[in-house]
Amino acid sequence: MGPQSSGKSTLLNHLFGTNFREMDAFKGRSQTTKGIWLARCAGIEPCTLVMDLEGTDGRERGEDDTAFEKQSALFALAVSDIVLINMWCHDIGREQAANKPLLKTVFQVMMRLFSPRKTTLMFVIRDKTRTPLENLEPVLREDIQKIWDSVPKPLAHKETPLSEFFNVEVVALSSYEEKEEQFKEQVASLRQRFYHSIAPGGLAGDRRGVVPASGFSFSAQQIWKVIKENKDLDLPAHKVMVATVRCEEIANEKYSNFVANEEWCELEEAVQSVPVPGFGKKLSSILDTSLSGYDAEVLYFDEVVRSSKRKQLEEKLLQLVQPTFQSMLGHIRSGTLDEFKDAFDKALSGGEGFSSASHRCFTSFMTQFDERCADVVIEQANWDTSKARDKLQRDIDAHIASVRAAKLAELTTHFESKLNEALAGPVEALLDGANDVTWPAIKKLLQKETKSAVSGLSGALSGFDMDEVAREKMLVNLENYAKSVVEAKAREEAGRVLNRMKDRFTTLFSHDSDSMPRIWTGKEDVRAITKTARSASLKLLSVMAVIRLDDDTDNIESTLSSALLDSTNSAASTNREISKYDPLASSTWEQVPSSKMLITPVQCKSLWRQFKSETEYFVTQAISAQEANKRNNNWLPPPWAIVAMVVLGFNEFMTLLRNPLYLGVIFVGYLLIKALWVQLDISGEFRNGALPGLLSLSTKFLPTVMNLLKKLAEEGQVPVTSDLSRNPVVNSDPPRNPAINSDPPRNPVVPSKNYRNGVGTSSGLSSSASSEITSSGNRTEQSSASKED
């Protein structure tokens, strides 16, 4: 049994191999099976008969002739051992479509007319959807149990449970049209359950009141006769039928009129884009007009029927307008949310506290939302707007949380930037001038700046209404950030410690106590200066070795000093080499955690070795400069050599005294040698060593001699005219200013020559040449001295 055109005949033909007439879907959906048809199952043992009933709820019979539906259903329950109730999957949970009234009536009459027998009710769910069978089966069993409980029973069976008379089975089949192969597989599996169905444990294994096959025909005739004569299965009252038909027609007419109503269409279209003021009143008025028209037209029909149909009409109308109502709520929610965001941002921009602004705006706009929702409420519907309100509240809370997070992040970034600016530069400067008070100064600076930043952030957080735990966490994170800035800068500077050490060494080694460049005259103690500069560099290394932001003490400086500086003699170095313990042969410092180490002992030893090798050049240069200075100052021969020269050259000295001409020759030779000495800069050439000096002089000697001779020749070429021979004294031209002379520099002043008896004396020329050579030599010597300085 089941609704018309639900595929009952198709199921029976596939399940039992029968040949009942099936509906041709291409010709339309109409009644196919009329009455009750009987056939024998093919290939199923023992002999099994199957009945194909006319479908219920058919258009051909309509509501005027439902008696046969009840009669055929009662006949099936009274005769059969197994009743297959065919129903659509989407009809589960419905009242009429699931045949609940029919089953209720049939159960009631059967309990009164016939002795109940054990019958198996197999609900076959057609066109199964994605809903699991485990969820559908409890619904069907609950519906059958409710029908059984509501049926009036004879006194003898007042407390008899449903399971005493019925076995309820539930199976589900896929769509025959969409999944034909799967349908056939499922039907074939179901067919197996009908083999030997009357055996113990089978579908009809516990049947009672069995009729022999020879008496089946007579038994069926008698059962049908009793059913036909029963007045409880007659047609309903004429008044109810007319009221049902007319009320439904009027309800459908009012529904169609409402759908086509111009005012409703305009309202529906407007709500799709923007919120409509007075939406609830307008829609309530339109609905009230439709329902009032229905009430006026069905006033004289049966009250129960007209009330039922009015309720159905009202439900259909509300179902139609509900999407528009939800759209209107959506507009109000999104509009309120946007207005809240704008007002909240303006309040924050105006300087209002975050907590007060969020609370004020939240309260204000939630109140506005409630007022706007009251304007949307439809009188005929009791729809709840709490879901939209909750959604708006969640959206507002989410926006407040996001703005709070952004503001807190902005505050944190601001104070971190201030800390970075306040700490990075000063820490770098303090580490550059590392000394005993460097880390205490850094610690004091860190405490001061951290306290200032934490105080500022704490004051800024007071307006955010934060819980104490989150607030303290942010403040602690800021303190840790300040400490990390100092540690990061210390690690950065530790990476440049070698350059810092060399710079400090160079500064102290190359400058005196007045910060003036040091001139190595030979009187300085290079060893003491070197030791002082290296001690200062080692001090910098010891300061940069670890981070000292706590009050802990360490012996790093003494360890480095004893291991690196106290190696002044080879014996101490040798003893240290053969010693089994090297304080720097370790990767950690004593009593210093690894997190605070910047430079390990092994790295310190390597850096010191590299530092010494790279600064050794400066010490060597200083020593060389002192030696060169000493050589320049000690150009005279030793005193013993001077005494030997005086003793051994006494005879030659007396010879010179007896013959003054030799003195003149020697004097001229002295002038020439002095001029060559100055021109060649012999003292400067030998400053870098004897061999380089000789090589340099060998290349400059000949050009210098030729230059001197050329100058002497130019001085000797003086024109003698007749006027000069007649005039005993001729004055030369006034001396020219050498500063404006464009010619190559010569003797700037040509002295007057004295002539006696018309012939000039040679002493004037010699004196002029000698003065030229001497002045040239003096200028070269001054130039050389300035270069040396």
Side-chain angles (χ1 to χ4, degrees):
M1 58 179 290
Q4 177 177 300
S5 303
S6 62
K8 300 184 299 300
S9 302
T10 303
L11 173 62
L12 295 176
N13 289 338
H14 284 83
L15 185 59
F16 300 111
T18 56
N19 193 24
F20 294 121
R21 183 184 174 190
E22 299 179 10
M23 183 190 72
D24 188 356
F26 294 96
K27 294 181 179 180
R29 307 185 69 84
S30 62
Q31 188 181 56
T32 303
T33 302
K34 297 182 179 180
I36 302 175
W37 293 75
L38 187 69
R40 178 179 177 178
C41 300
I44 295 181
E45 294 296 334
C47 177
T48 304
L49 298 180
V50 59
M51 289 188 298
D52 189 13
L53 304 186
E54 179 179 327
T56 62
D57 198 23
R59 178 177 61 85
E60 286 76 7
R61 289 189 181 271
E63 293 185 355
D64 296 337
D65 189 10
T66 61
F68 185 80
E69 295 179 2
K70 301 173 184 177
Q71 292 170 353
S72 60
L74 180 57
F75 180 78
L77 288 174
V79 172
S80 303
D81 297 313
I82 304 171
V83 178
L84 278 70
I85 302 176
N86 202 50
M87 60 190 308
W88 298 107
C89 182
H90 54 260
D91 286 339
I92 295 176
R94 296 180 179 175
E95 189 71 18
Q96 299 291 337
N99 291 322
K100 290 181 183 179
L102 175 61
L103 288 176
K104 182 177 181 180
T105 303
V106 169
F107 280 1
Q108 181 177 351
V109 176
M110 185 188 71
M111 291 294 295
R112 186 167 54 84
L113 297 180
F114 306 106
S115 298
R117 52 196 300 271
K118 200 66 176 283
T119 304
T120 300
L121 299 179
M122 178 175 284
F123 288 85
V124 181
I125 301 174
R126 302 294 298 275
D127 294 357
K128 180 181 177 298
T129 61
R130 292 183 293 181
T131 305
L133 181 60
E134 304 85 65
N135 297 341
L136 298 175
E137 183 174 351
V139 177
L140 289 175
R141 291 185 179 274
E142 182 181 0
D143 291 342
I144 296 298
Q145 185 65 45
K146 288 181 179 179
I147 294 173
W148 177 258
D149 294 338
S150 65
V151 169
K153 305 177 186 67
L155 189 60
H157 301 293
K158 197 71 175 176
E159 302 297 331
T160 303
L162 175 68
S163 59
E164 185 67 21
F165 299 113
F166 297 98
N167 292 325
V168 180
E169 298 283 341
V170 181
V171 296
L173 300 177
S174 301
S175 173
Y176 175 71
E177 295 180 354
E178 297 177 2
K179 302 178 180 179
E180 183 177 354
E181 294 299 325
Q182 188 174 352
F183 173 84
K184 291 180 178 179
E185 292 176 2
Q186 294 171 348
V187 170
S189 176
L190 180 61
R191 178 183 173 86
Q192 299 300 320
R193 302 183 64 182
F194 288 88
Y195 285 98
H196 305 289
S197 58
I198 61 175
L203 288 176
D206 55 349
R207 64 180 182 162
R208 295 193 299 266
V210 180
V211 178
S214 58
F216 175 77
S217 176
F218 178 77
S219 175
Q221 291 178 20
Q222 293 301 315
I223 291 174
W224 183 252
K225 182 179 179 181
V226 173
I227 292 174
K228 287 288 291 182
E229 292 175 354
N230 184 59
K231 299 301 182 180
D232 291 341
L233 300 176
D234 284 348
L235 297 175
H238 180 73
K239 180 180 68 172
V240 175
M241 286 193 305
V242 174
T244 302
V245 173
R246 284 298 298 141
C247 288
E248 187 165 352
E249 288 178 352
I250 294 171
N252 291 335
E253 179 185 355
K254 296 302 178 184
Y255 181 81
S256 300
N257 292 340
F258 180 87
V259 172
N261 185 283
E262 183 178 353
E263 188 178 356
W264 156 247
C265 293
E266 292 177 355
L267 184 64
E268 182 183 25
E269 184 178 359
V271 169
Q272 300 302 321
S273 55
V274 293
V276 177
F279 172 83
K281 292 181 179 180
K282 293 179 181 178
L283 187 54
S284 297
S285 175
I286 300 173
L287 288 172
D288 186 64
T289 301
S290 297
L291 294 175
S292 298
Y294 170 84
D295 293 337
E297 294 187 28
V298 299
L299 180 62
Y300 299 103
F301 291 105
D302 183 77
E303 183 179 358
V304 175
V305 175
R306 75 188 186 203
S307 298
S308 174
K309 296 301 179 181
R310 187 186 194 280
K311 184 177 180 181
Q312 293 178 10
L313 173 62
E314 187 175 355
E315 290 177 352
K316 288 177 65 177
L317 290 175
L318 292 179
Q319 187 176 4
L320 176 66
V321 303
Q322 187 175 23
T324 306
F325 173 79
Q326 295 296 335
S327 298
M328 188 66 187
L329 282 182
H331 286 311
I332 294 176
R333 182 185 58 79
S334 59
T336 304
L337 179 61
D338 293 338
E339 292 175 3
F340 169 83
K341 291 180 179 179
D342 294 339
F344 187 47
D345 292 341
K346 289 180 180 178
L348 294 179
S349 301
E352 186 176 355
F354 185 91
S355 178
S356 62
S358 61
H359 179 73
R360 180 181 59 79
C361 292
F362 176 82
T363 304
S364 173
F365 284 95
M366 290 303 296
T367 303
Q368 288 185 23
F369 177 79
D370 293 337
E371 294 173 354
R372 294 171 182 175
C373 284
D375 185 56
V376 177
V377 170
I378 301 172
E379 297 177 0
Q380 293 79 6
N382 189 23
W383 289 334
D384 188 11
T385 61
S386 60
K387 291 185 177 179
R389 192 179 194 279
D390 294 342
K391 180 67 167 60
L392 173 63
Q393 184 172 348
R394 289 194 299 270
D395 292 342
I396 290 178
D397 290 341
H399 179 71
I400 292 175
S402 65
V403 174
R404 178 188 287 108
K407 292 292 183 182
L408 292 178
E410 183 179 345
L411 278 176
T412 303
T413 304
H414 171 70
F415 283 101
E416 287 180 352
S417 301
K418 289 183 63 177
L419 276 175
N420 193 48
E421 182 179 354
L423 291 175
V427 168
E428 181 177 354
L430 288 171
L431 291 176
D432 186 30
N435 51 44
D436 292 331
V437 298
T438 295
W439 283 110
I442 292 176
K443 181 180 178 182
K444 184 177 180 181
L445 174 67
L446 174 62
Q447 292 174 347
K448 174 186 174 184
E449 297 298 336
T450 302
K451 182 178 179 180
S452 174
V454 168
S455 176
L457 180 60
S458 178
L461 294 179
S462 61
F464 282 87
D465 194 19
M466 298 177 61
D467 60 280
E468 192 63 25
V469 175
R471 182 174 175 276
E472 288 298 325
K473 183 179 180 181
M474 289 191 65
L475 297 180
V476 170
N477 289 339
L478 185 62
E479 293 177 357
N480 293 336
Y481 176 80
K483 190 174 182 180
S484 67
V485 170
V486 174
E487 292 180 352
K489 178 55 67 173
R491 296 185 187 282
E492 179 184 346
E493 292 301 314
R496 299 197 292 260
V497 67
L498 181 61
N499 292 333
R500 298 289 191 189
M501 291 169 63
K502 291 191 294 184
D503 292 343
R504 177 169 289 193
F505 178 85
T506 304
T507 301
L508 295 177
F509 187 78
S510 301
H511 296 78
D512 56 19
S513 58
D514 297 328
S515 299
M516 297 297 294
R518 197 186 298 275
I519 300 176
W520 303 103
T521 61
K523 299 177 182 180
E524 299 83 4
D525 189 351
V526 177
R527 181 181 300 275
I529 295 173
T530 303
K531 185 175 181 179
T532 302
R534 286 179 176 174
S535 298
S537 300
L538 188 65
K539 178 67 177 180
L540 188 147
L541 180 62
S542 66
V543 170
M544 296 294 295
V546 296
I547 297 173
R548 299 178 178 89
L549 294 177
D550 300 326
D551 295 330
D552 300 335
T553 58
D554 56 70
N555 57 350
I556 294 176
E557 183 177 0
S558 60
T559 302
L560 290 175
S561 179
S562 62
L564 300 177
L565 269 186
D566 298 342
S567 56
T568 55
N569 54 69
S570 59
S573 178
T574 304
N575 291 335
R576 189 166 53 256
E577 290 176 0
I578 64 176
S579 175
K580 295 182 178 180
Y581 174 72
D582 185 356
L584 299 183
S586 174
S587 59
T588 58
W589 297 103
E590 292 183 3
Q591 301 178 350
V592 177
S594 59
S595 60
K596 296 183 179 180
M597 283 197 304
L598 299 177
I599 308 172
T600 63
V602 175
Q603 292 173 339
C604 286
K605 188 174 182 180
S606 176
L607 286 170
W608 186 255
R609 186 182 301 112
Q610 186 177 356
F611 164 75
K612 288 185 65 177
S613 64
E614 293 183 9
T615 57
E616 197 70 31
Y617 173 76
F618 296 100
V619 180
T620 305
Q621 287 292 100
I623 295 174
S624 299
Q626 283 188 333
E627 293 177 353
N629 192 281
K630 290 178 181 179
R631 286 196 303 269
N632 291 338
N633 294 335
N634 297 331
W635 58 273
L636 292 175
W640 61 267
I642 296 175
V643 174
M645 291 172 59
V646 172
V647 173
L648 297 176
F650 180 76
N651 295 331
E652 287 74 7
F653 179 71
M654 295 304 295
T655 303
L656 290 176
L657 291 177
R658 295 189 186 98
N659 191 352
L661 183 59
Y662 289 158
L663 289 175
V665 174
I666 292 174
F667 179 70
V668 173
Y670 167 75
L671 291 179
L672 292 174
I673 293 173
K674 177 65 176 179
L676 286 174
W677 182 278
V678 173
Q679 290 290 328
L680 293 175
D681 191 17
I682 294 177
S683 61
E685 295 295 340
F686 280 96
R687 187 177 301 158
N688 297 325
L691 183 59
L694 291 174
L695 293 176
S696 178
L697 291 176
S698 63
T699 58
K700 295 167 58 178
F701 179 76
L702 187 58
T704 303
V705 172
M706 296 301 294
N707 188 29
L708 288 176
L709 294 177
K710 182 178 179 181
K711 288 182 178 181
L712 289 174
E714 289 177 355
E715 291 293 338
Q717 293 176 359
V718 178
V720 180
T721 61
S722 58
D723 293 336
L724 292 177
S725 61
R726 286 193 298 267
N727 297 325
V729 177
V730 180
N731 293 329
S732 62
D733 294 333
R736 292 177 293 175
N737 186 2
I740 59 174
N741 188 13
S742 61
D743 293 336
R746 297 178 181 175
N747 192 14
V749 179
V750 179
S752 301
K753 298 179 178 59
N754 295 323
Y755 290 92
R756 188 173 295 160
N757 296 327
V759 181
T761 61
S762 61
S763 61
L765 181 58
S766 299
S767 300
S768 176
S770 298
S771 63
E772 174 66 19
I773 294 173
T774 304
S775 62
S776 175
N778 291 334
R779 285 195 303 272
T780 304
E781 186 175 0
Q782 292 174 0
S783 175
S784 175
S786 65
K787 291 180 181 179
E788 182 178 355
D789 291 341

